[in-house]
Amino acid sequence: MIAFRIDTKSGVPPYMQIVQQVGHALRVGLLDVGDQLPTVKEVVASVAINPNTVLKAYRELERAGFVEGRPGVGTFVTRRPPGPPAGAHIALARSLARWVDKARAAGLDDESIEGLVRSTLYSDRDAGEGAA
Amino acid sequence: MTTRVAIAPVAIATHDLTKQYRAKTALSRCSIEVPEGSVSALVGANGTGKTTLLQILAGLSQATRGEAEVLGRAPTQDPAFLAEVGFLAQEIPLYRRMTANDHIGMGAHLNRRWDSAAARSRVESLDIPLDQPVGTLSGGQRAQVALTLALAKRPRVLLLDEPVAALDPLARRQFIAALGVAVADGDLTVLLSSHLVNDLERVCDHMVLLADSRPQLCGEIDTLLAEHKVLIGPRRDTSVIERAHTVVQAETTARQTTLLIRVRGPLIDPSWEVHDVALEELVLAYMGRAAELSRARQVMGAAG
């Protein structure tokens, strides 16, 4: 079972935060096909949000084909989003953590690291587009 | 973007509701609708008519003009109406020397429909002692007892006046969670007033914004947020924007113009940087605008 975190200051609507967190949990393997999502009441009691917000998020996930609501039982994962298997994320997260350690050791602060990641992503994307 | 299957029925509706106290207008031509099953935030500065509106809806006060309907009936103090509509006033209405258990027992005598067992288990599940005078409980615990009592008669509409204002952040969060769970249990519409927008944003899906005794906004929060944008650009004449959209707030510095607008059509000018608006920002912008209009009216009144 996963737990949600709602940040009302993030600018992302709370229902979308739930959708994204379920998506993330599926990608990294915290959730798998057949797993049950917390019930609406459990989510409401733990993060103090509107039950309609949870329902809206679950409907959105159902429409996208990732979960299925079984009346009177709960909401269950039916499919993982396309993309590499969960193991790939874990391996990449580990090597990224090693890289971050190296960057910190070299004296980069968080802001510089984020800047470096962002600029690398952009330059890589531009290069990819140029080649295509 | 979202297609609505059916428009939810309305639990609370007012039309041109006005309350006049001698020289003072507490509420002016207030027309709002709150859909069934929603948790609606009644937001506004102090003295803008929030309590007046709640008291009229609870049948505790008569409007000077206009109509109000709660679950299709005009608010009164008769038992049939009160069985379905709960009201929790700002100063928590508990007898300090009586215990939570005493209150639950008393409620059973006074109400046709009353779920004592659910009320007791609710209080117990929150680790609140049932057999201590409520005067000895913390503010958060007293608020929870009051909410339990308000829910014990299984109302279909619950009106709450500043329920969390006096609570510390943890008690506030717990109270809001409890309210959400009650709504998740089904067939309950909540209208709660507060000026703490951050707390409301979590639990509310609908908002009524009162300023200057009038409703400025009424609707689903997600829709209201999507309809408003913040535009930032170099300082310039804003008349083009004003013709196409509604400018709620405008701020100008020597070089820069910042507008909060209600979008009425496509935004075509690419020189504006377009940002989403946060709920607190939106509420403050409308409150600020209403205060300005009110000042302008007073000046006009004084001049005339």
Side-chain angles (χ1 to χ4, degrees):
Chain A
M1 191 75 87
I2 59 164
F4 297 116
R5 217 187 126 257
I6 302 297
D7 178 5
T8 50
K9 293 227 159 49
S10 73
V12 180
Y15 89 92
M16 193 42 88
Q17 294 185 36
I18 293 178
V19 170
Q20 287 171 352
Q21 284 169 32
V22 170
H24 179 75
L26 285 168
R27 276 189 297 274
V28 301
L30 278 171
L31 272 178
D32 213 338
V33 174
D35 285 349
Q36 186 178 1
L37 296 185
T39 66
V40 171
K41 236 165 125 168
E42 282 166 351
V43 179
V44 169
S46 68
V47 294
I49 57 167
N50 186 297
N52 298 327
T53 305
V54 187
L55 284 170
K56 189 172 175 184
Y58 284 10
R59 270 202 307 273
E60 190 79 25
L61 288 161
E62 196 163 356
R63 194 159 42 211
F66 298 127
V67 305
E68 179 190 73
R70 295 179 204 150
V73 192
T75 305
F76 294 85
V77 176
T78 50
R79 187 164 67 83
R80 289 190 62 247
H89 277 266
I90 296 165
L92 285 166
R94 282 205 193 107
S95 62
L96 183 60
R98 279 196 296 276
W99 180 85
V100 169
D101 284 345
K102 235 188 276 174
R104 290 228 174 90
L108 270 68
D109 59 8
D110 287 3
E111 213 172 306
S112 322
I113 292 175
E114 278 175 28
L116 195 56
V117 168
R118 216 171 297 128
S119 67
T120 309
L121 279 175
Y122 286 148
S123 65
D124 195 49
R125 190 181 61 189
D126 291 347
E129 277 166 7
Chain B
M1 199 179 83
T2 49
T3 48
R4 197 174 293 227
V5 184
I7 305 269
V10 170
I12 299 170
T14 68
H15 182 69
D16 272 354
L17 206 62
T18 300
K19 178 74 178 182
Q20 195 95 36
Y21 293 106
R22 292 190 189 161
K24 193 185 179 300
T25 306
L27 200 60
S28 173
R29 308 202 61 167
C30 175
S31 300
I32 61 158
E33 281 188 355
V34 178
E36 251 179 53
S38 59
V39 182
S40 184
L42 180 56
V43 188
N46 293 330
T48 46
K50 302 193 296 279
T51 298
T52 303
L53 175 60
L54 289 172
Q55 284 175 343
I56 293 172
L57 294 174
L60 293 167
S61 169
Q62 290 284 319
T64 315
R65 278 185 303 281
E67 290 106 53
E69 268 191 4
V70 179
L71 299 167
R73 315 160 55 126
T76 59
Q77 280 289 294
D78 74 59
F81 180 82
L82 293 180
E84 297 209 302
V85 180
F87 175 60
L88 194 51
Q90 207 164 346
E91 50 293 328
I92 296 170
L94 295 175
Y95 298 96
R96 300 184 68 88
R97 290 193 188 160
M98 284 170 58
T99 67
N101 227 340
D102 296 338
H103 280 91
I104 293 169
M106 190 166 69
H109 278 289
L110 296 173
N111 292 274
R112 290 183 191 176
R113 217 169 16 164
W114 188 263
D115 196 338
S116 295
R120 284 202 187 91
S121 77
R122 202 176 166 273
V123 172
E124 276 175 333
S125 75
L126 294 163
D127 288 327
I128 299 172
L130 271 164
D131 51 3
Q132 269 180 35
V134 293
T136 64
L137 304 177
S138 72
Q141 289 176 323
R142 274 203 298 278
Q144 288 284 9
V145 171
L147 177 64
T148 302
L149 294 171
L151 290 171
K153 67 174 183 180
R154 301 206 164 279
R156 294 179 57 216
V157 165
L158 190 55
L159 306 165
L160 306 165
D161 195 3
E162 297 279 0
V164 297
L167 304 183
D168 64 67
L170 179 63
R172 221 145 62 200
R173 178 61 61 84
Q174 287 167 340
F175 187 93
I176 281 170
L179 204 56
V181 169
V183 173
D185 278 331
D187 198 20
L188 179 65
T189 306
V190 178
L191 177 62
L192 77 160
S193 71
S194 182
H195 50 253
L196 298 161
V197 175
N198 281 331
D199 290 320
L200 299 179
E201 192 165 15
R202 299 186 84 89
V203 78
C204 297
D205 52 7
H206 185 274
M207 177 171 75
V208 176
L209 173 61
L210 286 183
D212 194 23
S213 308
R214 291 169 174 79
Q216 312 286 328
L217 284 174
C218 175
E220 226 180 281
I221 290 176
D222 286 348
T223 313
L224 291 173
L225 290 177
E227 281 172 1
H228 290 82
K229 294 284 175 205
V230 172
L231 305 185
I232 301 174
R235 181 177 179 152
R236 82 188 78 177
D237 175 27
T238 57
S239 58
V240 178
I241 287 282
E242 277 166 51
R243 272 198 297 277
H245 308 281
T246 307
V247 174
V248 181
Q249 190 182 48
E251 268 169 38
T252 319
T253 61
R255 292 196 182 164
Q256 188 178 286
T257 299
T258 306
L259 304 174
L260 195 154
I261 65 163
R262 186 166 200 162
V263 181
R264 305 282 184 192
L267 280 162
I268 17 184
D269 186 346
S271 62
W272 289 106
E273 219 182 284
V274 183
H275 295 269
D276 288 332
V277 59
L279 185 61
E280 190 165 29
E281 209 178 0
L282 183 67
V283 167
L284 290 174
Y286 272 91
M287 279 165 62
R289 183 173 82 151
E292 256 170 51
L293 291 175
S294 157
R295 264 197 303 278
R297 256 204 323 277
Q298 278 165 13
V299 171
M300 297 277 282

